[in-house]
PDB file of all heavy atoms in Angstrom:
ATOM      1  N   THR A1496      93.420  80.265  96.476  1.00 54.00           N
ATOM      2  CA  THR A1496      94.105  79.902  95.241  1.00 54.00           C
ATOM      3  C   THR A1496      94.821  81.120  94.699  1.00 54.00           C
ATOM      4  O   THR A1496      94.281  82.200  94.694  1.00 54.00           O
ATOM      5  CB  THR A1496      93.067  79.376  94.190  1.00 54.00           C
ATOM      6  OG1 THR A1496      92.322  78.322  94.747  1.00 54.00           O
ATOM      7  CG2 THR A1496      93.747  78.947  92.920  1.00 54.00           C
ATOM      8  N   PRO A1497      96.086  80.964  94.264  1.00 48.00           N
ATOM      9  CA  PRO A1497      96.782  82.094  93.721  1.00 48.00           C
ATOM     10  C   PRO A1497      95.958  82.759  92.590  1.00 48.00           C
ATOM     11  O   PRO A1497      95.354  82.072  91.768  1.00 48.00           O
ATOM     12  CB  PRO A1497      98.075  81.479  93.158  1.00 48.00           C
ATOM     13  CG  PRO A1497      98.244  80.222  93.893  1.00 48.00           C
ATOM     14  CD  PRO A1497      96.860  79.737  94.230  1.00 48.00           C
ATOM     15  N   SER A1498      95.962  84.058  92.620  1.00 55.00           N
ATOM     16  CA  SER A1498      95.194  84.822  91.630  1.00 55.00           C
ATOM     17  C   SER A1498      96.192  85.521  90.685  1.00 55.00           C
ATOM     18  O   SER A1498      97.386  85.547  90.956  1.00 55.00           O
ATOM     19  CB  SER A1498      94.302  85.825  92.307  1.00 55.00           C
ATOM     20  OG  SER A1498      95.102  86.861  92.829  1.00 55.00           O
ATOM     21  N   PRO A1499      95.675  86.127  89.613  1.00 64.00           N
ATOM     22  CA  PRO A1499      96.582  86.854  88.728  1.00 64.00           C
ATOM     23  C   PRO A1499      97.122  88.143  89.350  1.00 64.00           C
ATOM     24  O   PRO A1499      98.051  88.713  88.834  1.00 64.00           O
ATOM     25  CB  PRO A1499      95.745  87.177  87.518  1.00 64.00           C
ATOM     26  CG  PRO A1499      94.332  86.823  87.843  1.00 64.00           C
ATOM     27  CD  PRO A1499      94.357  86.057  89.104  1.00 64.00           C
ATOM     28  N   ARG A1500      96.588  88.548  90.502  1.00 75.00           N
ATOM     29  CA  ARG A1500      97.154  89.724  91.183  1.00 75.00           C
ATOM     30  C   ARG A1500      98.601  89.483  91.514  1.00 75.00           C
ATOM     31  O   ARG A1500      98.981  88.334  91.813  1.00 75.00           O
ATOM     32  CB  ARG A1500      96.431  89.942  92.499  1.00 75.00           C
ATOM     33  CG  ARG A1500      95.020  90.535  92.365  1.00 75.00           C
ATOM     34  CD  ARG A1500      94.440  90.716  93.725  1.00 75.00           C
ATOM     35  NE  ARG A1500      95.451  91.332  94.588  1.00 75.00           N
ATOM     36  CZ  ARG A1500      95.194  92.252  95.477  1.00 75.00           C
ATOM     37  NH1 ARG A1500      93.994  92.623  95.691  1.00 75.00           N
ATOM     38  NH2 ARG A1500      96.148  92.759  96.199  1.00 75.00           N
ATOM     39  N   LEU A1501      99.374  90.519  91.516  1.00 83.00           N
ATOM     40  CA  LEU A1501     100.772  90.324  91.884  1.00 83.00           C
ATOM     41  C   LEU A1501     100.982  90.573  93.361  1.00 83.00           C
ATOM     42  O   LEU A1501     100.253  91.292  93.990  1.00 83.00           O
ATOM     43  CB  LEU A1501     101.673  91.189  91.030  1.00 83.00           C
ATOM     44  CG  LEU A1501     101.669  92.719  91.222  1.00 83.00           C
ATOM     45  CD1 LEU A1501     102.500  93.154  92.396  1.00 83.00           C
ATOM     46  CD2 LEU A1501     102.184  93.364  89.982  1.00 83.00           C
ATOM     47  N   LEU A1502     101.925  89.859  93.887  1.00 88.00           N
ATOM     48  CA  LEU A1502     102.371  90.018  95.292  1.00 88.00           C
ATOM     49  C   LEU A1502     103.850  90.302  95.219  1.00 88.00           C
ATOM     50  O   LEU A1502     104.632  89.466  94.678  1.00 88.00           O
ATOM     51  CB  LEU A1502     102.071  88.740  96.086  1.00 88.00           C
ATOM     52  CG  LEU A1502     102.574  88.686  97.504  1.00 88.00           C
ATOM     53  CD1 LEU A1502     101.916  89.768  98.357  1.00 88.00           C
ATOM     54  CD2 LEU A1502     102.346  87.315  98.077  1.00 88.00           C
ATOM     55  N   ALA A1503     104.278  91.465  95.685  1.00 92.00           N
ATOM     56  CA  ALA A1503     105.680  91.853  95.578  1.00 92.00           C
ATOM     57  C   ALA A1503     106.185  92.194  96.982  1.00 92.00           C
ATOM     58  O   ALA A1503     105.442  92.672  97.812  1.00 92.00           O
ATOM     59  CB  ALA A1503     105.823  93.052  94.637  1.00 92.00           C
ATOM     60  N   TRP A1504     107.462  91.972  97.200  1.00 92.00           N
ATOM     61  CA  TRP A1504     108.050  92.335  98.472  1.00 92.00           C
ATOM     62  C   TRP A1504     109.547  92.571  98.349  1.00 92.00           C
ATOM     63  O   TRP A1504     110.167  92.149  97.400  1.00 92.00           O
ATOM     64  CB  TRP A1504     107.731  91.365  99.581  1.00 92.00           C
ATOM     65  CG  TRP A1504     108.221  89.923  99.399  1.00 92.00           C
ATOM     66  CD1 TRP A1504     109.385  89.404  99.920  1.00 92.00           C
ATOM     67  CD2 TRP A1504     107.592  88.892  98.691  1.00 92.00           C
ATOM     68  NE1 TRP A1504     109.477  88.095  99.531  1.00 92.00           N
ATOM     69  CE2 TRP A1504     108.381  87.748  98.815  1.00 92.00           C
ATOM     70  CE3 TRP A1504     106.408  88.790  97.949  1.00 92.00           C
ATOM     71  CZ2 TRP A1504     108.079  86.532  98.220  1.00 92.00           C
ATOM     72  CZ3 TRP A1504     106.087  87.591  97.339  1.00 92.00           C
ATOM     73  CH2 TRP A1504     106.909  86.455  97.523  1.00 92.00           C
ATOM     74  N   GLU A1505     110.063  93.253  99.343  1.00 93.00           N
ATOM     75  CA  GLU A1505     111.517  93.525  99.479  1.00 93.00           C
ATOM     76  C   GLU A1505     111.780  93.524 100.984  1.00 93.00           C
ATOM     77  O   GLU A1505     110.989  94.061 101.783  1.00 93.00           O
ATOM     78  CB  GLU A1505     111.825  94.869  98.854  1.00 93.00           C
ATOM     79  CG  GLU A1505     113.301  95.226  98.863  1.00 93.00           C
ATOM     80  CD  GLU A1505     113.804  95.840 100.168  1.00 93.00           C
ATOM     81  OE1 GLU A1505     112.993  96.362 100.977  1.00 93.00           O
ATOM     82  OE2 GLU A1505     115.034  95.816 100.386  1.00 93.00           O
ATOM     83  N   HIS A1506     112.854  92.891 101.362  1.00 92.00           N
ATOM     84  CA  HIS A1506     113.292  92.877 102.756  1.00 92.00           C
ATOM     85  C   HIS A1506     114.799  92.722 102.807  1.00 92.00           C
ATOM     86  O   HIS A1506     115.331  91.735 102.275  1.00 92.00           O
ATOM     87  CB  HIS A1506     112.598  91.722 103.528  1.00 92.00           C
ATOM     88  CG  HIS A1506     112.969  91.710 104.973  1.00 92.00           C
ATOM     89  ND1 HIS A1506     112.568  92.668 105.865  1.00 92.00           N
ATOM     90  CD2 HIS A1506     113.690  90.803 105.694  1.00 92.00           C
ATOM     91  CE1 HIS A1506     113.039  92.373 107.060  1.00 92.00           C
ATOM     92  NE2 HIS A1506     113.755  91.272 106.942  1.00 92.00           N
ATOM     93  N   GLU A1507     115.460  93.701 103.381  1.00 92.00           N
ATOM     94  CA  GLU A1507     116.898  93.722 103.518  1.00 92.00           C
ATOM     95  C   GLU A1507     117.584  93.392 102.171  1.00 92.00           C
ATOM     96  O   GLU A1507     118.476  92.590 102.106  1.00 92.00           O
ATOM     97  CB  GLU A1507     117.329  92.726 104.584  1.00 92.00           C
ATOM     98  CG  GLU A1507     116.811  93.097 105.978  1.00 92.00           C
ATOM     99  CD  GLU A1507     117.223  92.109 107.069  1.00 92.00           C
ATOM    100  OE1 GLU A1507     117.686  91.003 106.762  1.00 92.00           O
ATOM    101  OE2 GLU A1507     117.042  92.489 108.244  1.00 92.00           O
ATOM    102  N   ASP A1508     117.136  94.102 101.136  1.00 90.00           N
ATOM    103  CA  ASP A1508     117.656  94.004  99.770  1.00 90.00           C
ATOM    104  C   ASP A1508     117.295  92.676  99.057  1.00 90.00           C
ATOM    105  O   ASP A1508     117.673  92.508  97.898  1.00 90.00           O
ATOM    106  CB  ASP A1508     119.158  94.226  99.710  1.00 90.00           C
ATOM    107  CG  ASP A1508     119.528  95.687  99.927  1.00 90.00           C
ATOM    108  OD1 ASP A1508     118.730  96.556  99.526  1.00 90.00           O
ATOM    109  OD2 ASP A1508     120.596  95.963 100.485  1.00 90.00           O
ATOM    110  N   ASN A1509     116.622  91.771  99.699  1.00 95.00           N
ATOM    111  CA  ASN A1509     116.092  90.590  99.017  1.00 95.00           C
ATOM    112  C   ASN A1509     114.770  90.989  98.439  1.00 95.00           C
ATOM    113  O   ASN A1509     114.000  91.767  99.037  1.00 95.00           O
ATOM    114  CB  ASN A1509     115.953  89.417  99.998  1.00 95.00           C
ATOM    115  CG  ASN A1509     117.276  89.087 100.677  1.00 95.00           C
ATOM    116  OD1 ASN A1509     118.215  88.712  99.953  1.00 95.00           O
ATOM    117  ND2 ASN A1509     117.348  89.180 101.965  1.00 95.00           N
ATOM    118  N   ARG A1510     114.438  90.462  97.279  1.00 95.00           N
ATOM    119  CA  ARG A1510     113.230  90.905  96.600  1.00 95.00           C
ATOM    120  C   ARG A1510     112.578  89.728  95.872  1.00 95.00           C
ATOM    121  O   ARG A1510     113.239  88.760  95.498  1.00 95.00           O
ATOM    122  CB  ARG A1510     113.534  92.034  95.615  1.00 95.00           C
ATOM    123  CG  ARG A1510     114.556  91.668  94.574  1.00 95.00           C
ATOM    124  CD  ARG A1510     115.222  92.930  93.987  1.00 95.00           C
ATOM    125  NE  ARG A1510     115.953  92.631  92.783  1.00 95.00           N
ATOM    126  CZ  ARG A1510     117.155  92.134  92.696  1.00 95.00           C
ATOM    127  NH1 ARG A1510     117.781  91.796  93.830  1.00 95.00           N
ATOM    128  NH2 ARG A1510     117.727  91.904  91.543  1.00 95.00           N
ATOM    129  N   ALA A1511     111.249  89.863  95.679  1.00 97.00           N
ATOM    130  CA  ALA A1511     110.512  88.830  95.010  1.00 97.00           C
ATOM    131  C   ALA A1511     109.216  89.382  94.470  1.00 97.00           C
ATOM    132  O   ALA A1511     108.708  90.412  94.948  1.00 97.00           O
ATOM    133  CB  ALA A1511     110.220  87.664  95.986  1.00 97.00           C
ATOM    134  N   LEU A1512     108.663  88.649  93.536  1.00 96.00           N
ATOM    135  CA  LEU A1512     107.366  88.989  92.947  1.00 96.00           C
ATOM    136  C   LEU A1512     106.725  87.665  92.536  1.00 96.00           C
ATOM    137  O   LEU A1512     107.351  86.787  92.013  1.00 96.00           O
ATOM    138  CB  LEU A1512     107.517  89.882  91.706  1.00 96.00           C
ATOM    139  CG  LEU A1512     106.192  90.174  91.027  1.00 96.00           C
ATOM    140  CD1 LEU A1512     105.911  91.703  91.048  1.00 96.00           C
ATOM    141  CD2 LEU A1512     106.235  89.671  89.598  1.00 96.00           C
ATOM    142  N   ARG A1513     105.439  87.572  92.907  1.00 95.00           N
ATOM    143  CA  ARG A1513     104.642  86.377  92.499  1.00 95.00           C
ATOM    144  C   ARG A1513     103.440  86.828  91.735  1.00 95.00           C
ATOM    145  O   ARG A1513     102.699  87.755  92.187  1.00 95.00           O
ATOM    146  CB  ARG A1513     104.259  85.574  93.743  1.00 95.00           C
ATOM    147  CG  ARG A1513     103.441  84.365  93.346  1.00 95.00           C
ATOM    148  CD  ARG A1513     103.188  83.433  94.450  1.00 95.00           C
ATOM    149  NE  ARG A1513     102.328  82.343  93.983  1.00 95.00           N
ATOM    150  CZ  ARG A1513     101.976  81.323  94.685  1.00 95.00           C
ATOM    151  NH1 ARG A1513     102.395  81.190  95.945  1.00 95.00           N
ATOM    152  NH2 ARG A1513     101.185  80.419  94.177  1.00 95.00           N
ATOM    153  N   VAL A1514     103.195  86.192  90.582  1.00 94.00           N
ATOM    154  CA  VAL A1514     101.964  86.394  89.796  1.00 94.00           C
ATOM    155  C   VAL A1514     101.458  85.005  89.489  1.00 94.00           C
ATOM    156  O   VAL A1514     102.131  84.267  88.749  1.00 94.00           O
ATOM    157  CB  VAL A1514     102.287  87.200  88.528  1.00 94.00           C
ATOM    158  CG1 VAL A1514     100.976  87.354  87.729  1.00 94.00           C
ATOM    159  CG2 VAL A1514     102.900  88.538  88.825  1.00 94.00           C
ATOM    160  N   GLY A1515     100.319  84.674  90.020  1.00 91.00           N
ATOM    161  CA  GLY A1515      99.764  83.322  89.821  1.00 91.00           C
ATOM    162  C   GLY A1515     100.747  82.292  90.352  1.00 91.00           C
ATOM    163  O   GLY A1515     101.227  82.358  91.461  1.00 91.00           O
ATOM    164  N   ASP A1516     101.107  81.321  89.515  1.00 93.00           N
ATOM    165  CA  ASP A1516     102.005  80.263  89.927  1.00 93.00           C
ATOM    166  C   ASP A1516     103.485  80.627  89.668  1.00 93.00           C
ATOM    167  O   ASP A1516     104.357  79.813  89.983  1.00 93.00           O
ATOM    168  CB  ASP A1516     101.694  78.983  89.171  1.00 93.00           C
ATOM    169  CG  ASP A1516     100.422  78.347  89.649  1.00 93.00           C
ATOM    170  OD1 ASP A1516     100.084  78.446  90.858  1.00 93.00           O
ATOM    171  OD2 ASP A1516      99.695  77.729  88.841  1.00 93.00           O
ATOM    172  N   TRP A1517     103.743  81.783  89.097  1.00 96.00           N
ATOM    173  CA  TRP A1517     105.143  82.147  88.768  1.00 96.00           C
ATOM    174  C   TRP A1517     105.716  83.067  89.828  1.00 96.00           C
ATOM    175  O   TRP A1517     105.024  83.990  90.321  1.00 96.00           O
ATOM    176  CB  TRP A1517     105.179  82.827  87.404  1.00 96.00           C
ATOM    177  CG  TRP A1517     104.896  81.835  86.303  1.00 96.00           C
ATOM    178  CD1 TRP A1517     103.683  81.639  85.699  1.00 96.00           C
ATOM    179  CD2 TRP A1517     105.803  80.927  85.714  1.00 96.00           C
ATOM    180  NE1 TRP A1517     103.784  80.660  84.778  1.00 96.00           N
ATOM    181  CE2 TRP A1517     105.106  80.200  84.765  1.00 96.00           C
ATOM    182  CE3 TRP A1517     107.146  80.672  85.897  1.00 96.00           C
ATOM    183  CZ2 TRP A1517     105.689  79.233  83.983  1.00 96.00           C
ATOM    184  CZ3 TRP A1517     107.759  79.718  85.127  1.00 96.00           C
ATOM    185  CH2 TRP A1517     107.037  78.975  84.176  1.00 96.00           C
ATOM    186  N   LYS A1518     106.986  82.880  90.158  1.00 97.00           N
ATOM    187  CA  LYS A1518     107.640  83.665  91.199  1.00 97.00           C
ATOM    188  C   LYS A1518     109.066  83.954  90.722  1.00 97.00           C
ATOM    189  O   LYS A1518     109.782  83.048  90.283  1.00 97.00           O
ATOM    190  CB  LYS A1518     107.662  82.917  92.505  1.00 97.00           C
ATOM    191  CG  LYS A1518     108.356  83.651  93.623  1.00 97.00           C
ATOM    192  CD  LYS A1518     108.362  82.807  94.912  1.00 97.00           C
ATOM    193  CE  LYS A1518     109.099  83.457  96.030  1.00 97.00           C
ATOM    194  NZ  LYS A1518     109.183  82.573  97.191  1.00 97.00           N
ATOM    195  N   ILE A1519     109.474  85.237  90.841  1.00 98.00           N
ATOM    196  CA  ILE A1519     110.878  85.570  90.707  1.00 98.00           C
ATOM    197  C   ILE A1519     111.396  86.014  92.058  1.00 98.00           C
ATOM    198  O   ILE A1519     110.648  86.575  92.879  1.00 98.00           O
ATOM    199  CB  ILE A1519     111.117  86.682  89.645  1.00 98.00           C
ATOM    200  CG1 ILE A1519     110.359  88.005  89.969  1.00 98.00           C
ATOM    201  CG2 ILE A1519     110.871  86.225  88.250  1.00 98.00           C
ATOM    202  CD1 ILE A1519     110.723  89.175  89.097  1.00 98.00           C
ATOM    203  N   VAL A1520     112.654  85.702  92.324  1.00 98.00           N
ATOM    204  CA  VAL A1520     113.208  85.992  93.607  1.00 98.00           C
ATOM    205  C   VAL A1520     114.697  86.270  93.438  1.00 98.00           C
ATOM    206  O   VAL A1520     115.337  85.682  92.543  1.00 98.00           O
ATOM    207  CB  VAL A1520     112.977  84.840  94.632  1.00 98.00           C
ATOM    208  CG1 VAL A1520     113.615  83.564  94.133  1.00 98.00           C
ATOM    209  CG2 VAL A1520     113.485  85.167  96.009  1.00 98.00           C
ATOM    210  N   ALA A1521     115.242  87.187  94.218  1.00 97.00           N
ATOM    211  CA  ALA A1521     116.675  87.511  94.170  1.00 97.00           C
ATOM    212  C   ALA A1521     117.156  87.722  95.603  1.00 97.00           C
ATOM    213  O   ALA A1521     116.557  88.458  96.343  1.00 97.00           O
ATOM    214  CB  ALA A1521     116.943  88.702  93.300  1.00 97.00           C
ATOM    215  N   ALA A1522     118.256  87.047  95.940  1.00 95.00           N
ATOM    216  CA  ALA A1522     118.829  87.169  97.283  1.00 95.00           C
ATOM    217  C   ALA A1522     119.907  88.228  97.256  1.00 95.00           C
ATOM    218  O   ALA A1522     121.090  87.948  96.995  1.00 95.00           O
ATOM    219  CB  ALA A1522     119.393  85.834  97.715  1.00 95.00           C
ATOM    220  N   GLY A1523     119.530  89.481  97.530  1.00 90.00           N
ATOM    221  CA  GLY A1523     120.467  90.582  97.516  1.00 90.00           C
ATOM    222  C   GLY A1523     120.210  91.526  96.394  1.00 90.00           C
ATOM    223  O   GLY A1523     119.699  91.123  95.316  1.00 90.00           O
ATOM    224  N   LYS A1524     120.528  92.798  96.597  1.00 84.00           N
ATOM    225  CA  LYS A1524     120.142  93.810  95.617  1.00 84.00           C
ATOM    226  C   LYS A1524     120.840  93.662  94.288  1.00 84.00           C
ATOM    227  O   LYS A1524     120.319  94.078  93.254  1.00 84.00           O
ATOM    228  CB  LYS A1524     120.342  95.248  96.178  1.00 84.00           C
ATOM    229  CG  LYS A1524     121.770  95.679  96.343  1.00 84.00           C
ATOM    230  CD  LYS A1524     121.817  97.080  96.892  1.00 84.00           C
ATOM    231  CE  LYS A1524     123.241  97.581  97.075  1.00 84.00           C
ATOM    232  NZ  LYS A1524     123.292  98.914  97.537  1.00 84.00           N
ATOM    233  N   ASP A1525     122.002  93.059  94.259  1.00 89.00           N
ATOM    234  CA  ASP A1525     122.728  92.886  92.964  1.00 89.00           C
ATOM    235  C   ASP A1525     122.610  91.430  92.448  1.00 89.00           C
ATOM    236  O   ASP A1525     123.203  91.117  91.408  1.00 89.00           O
ATOM    237  CB  ASP A1525     124.194  93.243  93.128  1.00 89.00           C
ATOM    238  CG  ASP A1525     124.343  94.726  93.460  1.00 89.00           C
ATOM    239  OD1 ASP A1525     123.568  95.543  92.929  1.00 89.00           O
ATOM    240  OD2 ASP A1525     125.232  95.082  94.258  1.00 89.00           O
ATOM    241  N   ALA A1526     121.885  90.595  93.123  1.00 96.00           N
ATOM    242  CA  ALA A1526     121.768  89.210  92.698  1.00 96.00           C
ATOM    243  C   ALA A1526     120.860  89.105  91.499  1.00 96.00           C
ATOM    244  O   ALA A1526     119.904  89.871  91.334  1.00 96.00           O
ATOM    245  CB  ALA A1526     121.204  88.355  93.845  1.00 96.00           C
ATOM    246  N   PRO A1527     121.122  88.129  90.648  1.00 97.00           N
ATOM    247  CA  PRO A1527     120.255  87.944  89.472  1.00 97.00           C
ATOM    248  C   PRO A1527     118.904  87.378  89.899  1.00 97.00           C
ATOM    249  O   PRO A1527     118.808  86.705  90.951  1.00 97.00           O
ATOM    250  CB  PRO A1527     121.024  86.935  88.602  1.00 97.00           C
ATOM    251  CG  PRO A1527     121.861  86.176  89.577  1.00 97.00           C
ATOM    252  CD  PRO A1527     122.202  87.168  90.669  1.00 97.00           C
TER     253      PRO A1527
END
């Protein structure tokens, strides 16, 4: 089950972070 711990990653300038059920993601280093 997703926990409050964060999971973050970056690959080829794509980036994301997940905390619990919430996730932010951006496709490219300048993408919103």
Side-chain angles (χ1 to χ4, degrees):
T1496 304
S1498 72
R1500 287 180 44 141
L1501 68 82
L1502 175 63
W1504 62 97
E1505 184 277 340
H1506 181 68
E1507 296 180 348
D1508 288 329
N1509 301 301
R1510 58 202 194 279
L1512 176 117
R1513 180 171 176 176
V1514 179
D1516 288 326
W1517 291 96
K1518 179 180 177 186
I1519 58 171
V1520 61
K1524 71 179 180 178
D1525 296 324

